[in-house]
Amino acid sequence: FFFFCFPETHGISFRIQISVKELPDTDVLLKLLFHLPVNYPSTLPDISVNSDQLTRAQCVVVKEKLLEQAKKHLSEPMVHDLILWVQQHLKDVIKPSATACNEKTTLSEGAEDGIWMLLLHLDHMRAKAKYVKTVEKWASNLRLTGRLMFMGKIILILLQGDRSSIKEYVILQKTSKVDVDSSGKKCKEKMIRVLCEKEVQSQHKRFQTFEVKEYSALEELQKEFETAGLTTLFSEFVPPLLK
């Protein structure tokens, strides 16, 4: 690998580029940016991960795993150890993420073409403002349209977009620390259900934007679905959530 650094007012940043052999015939070029704060190594470095061979979601997973490893080396120089670790474990890190949630929540195999639709149910949002902002950011980055819908205690996310982007969204939702637990500590979303995923049909209307909306009554929520040509989707999946 090679690296270069450039000074900053508050510490030093290193750009490191490494080639990692994922499979016998495949090399992954990882671009890592480490920002070492002034009181490093007593403080963890900031890390960003980019690669043309990996999806955004996989880069997020690699970053999270590197930060987990960094915590084990707190108070001792760690950059070299982190680079060695990612070279040895990249395959293990990105393989599970590509098949995250291989149960009901996984998008079924099939054609990748066309526009797909995904309906998610969230159990709760403790850090609502931050959570909503994160969902909006992901939808924007992945060019997904749809709605984040609140009605009483019901929280639904309805997304439309390229199937690969839908898949990336599910991985991000399951692997990122999007909420806080009862003690206020950041945590991953463990109580999410994929209610439905399927290709958008001609009778379904496309959402032009991604919006966050609150509904005071079930009838208002139902009208949102009906306007989008999704009456059947509503009647099949939403009423059971009220029981």
Side-chain angles (χ1 to χ4, degrees):
F1 64 88
F2 68 86
F3 71 89
F4 62 87
C5 63
F6 49 92
E8 289 196 1
T9 337
H10 305 290
I12 294 176
S13 289
F14 291 86
R15 274 194 203 286
I16 300 171
Q17 190 166 290
I18 56 173
S19 182
V20 183
K21 195 171 284 294
E22 186 195 354
L23 296 169
D25 56 346
T26 309
D27 283 351
V28 173
L29 196 63
L30 275 185
K31 298 166 188 172
L32 309 173
L33 174 62
F34 290 89
H35 173 63
L36 310 184
V38 190
N39 49 355
Y40 167 85
S42 301
T43 304
L44 292 176
D46 288 324
I47 305 172
S48 70
V49 179
N50 286 290
S51 174
D52 293 337
Q53 285 87 27
L54 302 181
T55 64
R56 288 190 198 90
Q58 287 173 322
C59 287
V60 168
V61 174
V62 173
K63 173 184 172 178
E64 286 197 348
K65 294 297 182 184
L66 278 170
L67 287 172
E68 284 177 18
Q69 290 302 312
K71 288 175 185 173
K72 298 177 183 177
H73 295 280
L74 199 58
S75 298
E76 60 186 66
M78 66 185 77
V79 173
H80 183 64
D81 289 325
L82 294 178
I83 294 166
L84 291 177
W85 185 89
V86 79
Q87 285 179 312
Q88 292 166 5
H89 296 91
L90 181 67
K91 187 166 67 172
D92 302 324
V93 171
I94 63 177
K95 284 299 181 214
S97 73
T99 55
C101 329
N102 206 7
E103 67 279 359
K104 279 174 71 177
T105 58
T106 313
L107 298 178
S108 58
E109 295 299 317
E112 296 294 326
D113 301 328
I115 300 302
W116 282 73
M117 176 171 58
L118 180 73
L119 182 62
L120 301 170
H121 173 242
L122 298 180
D123 185 72
H124 61 270
M125 283 185 183
R126 284 196 177 92
K128 185 176 176 180
K130 177 181 175 291
Y131 205 131
V132 168
K133 192 174 179 182
T134 301
V135 170
E136 288 180 311
K137 180 184 173 185
W138 288 341
S140 173
N141 289 346
L142 295 169
R143 296 179 184 175
L144 297 171
T145 60
R147 300 285 185 268
L148 170 52
M149 302 176 280
F150 296 91
M151 200 286 294
K153 292 186 177 180
I154 293 177
I155 307 170
L156 297 170
I157 302 177
L158 180 59
L159 298 171
Q160 292 177 345
D162 292 340
R163 192 158 190 229
S164 58
S165 296
I166 294 272
K167 283 183 175 181
E168 281 194 44
Y169 182 91
V170 174
I171 293 170
L172 282 170
Q173 183 82 59
K174 295 283 278 188
T175 59
S176 305
K177 292 184 177 179
V178 287
D179 207 1
V180 295
D181 59 22
S182 54
S183 63
K185 189 177 179 181
K186 289 181 181 179
C187 66
K188 295 177 183 178
E189 178 58 72
K190 296 189 177 86
M191 301 185 72
I192 186 172
R193 284 194 296 148
V194 175
L195 300 178
C196 176
E197 60 87 11
K198 61 182 177 181
E199 194 166 7
V200 171
Q201 305 299 317
S202 55
Q203 70 268 27
H204 302 147
K205 293 184 182 174
R206 288 292 310 278
F207 291 110
Q208 298 304 309
T209 58
F210 182 82
E211 297 177 29
V212 180
K213 301 183 80 170
E214 302 217 12
Y215 309 86
S216 56
L218 188 63
E219 291 73 22
E220 288 182 22
L221 184 59
Q222 185 173 356
K223 190 174 179 183
E224 183 78 73
F225 276 79
E226 289 174 352
T227 305
L230 300 171
T231 306
T232 307
L233 189 73
F234 175 87
S235 57
E236 186 176 350
F237 295 105
V238 181
L241 299 175
L242 295 168
K243 294 176 182 176

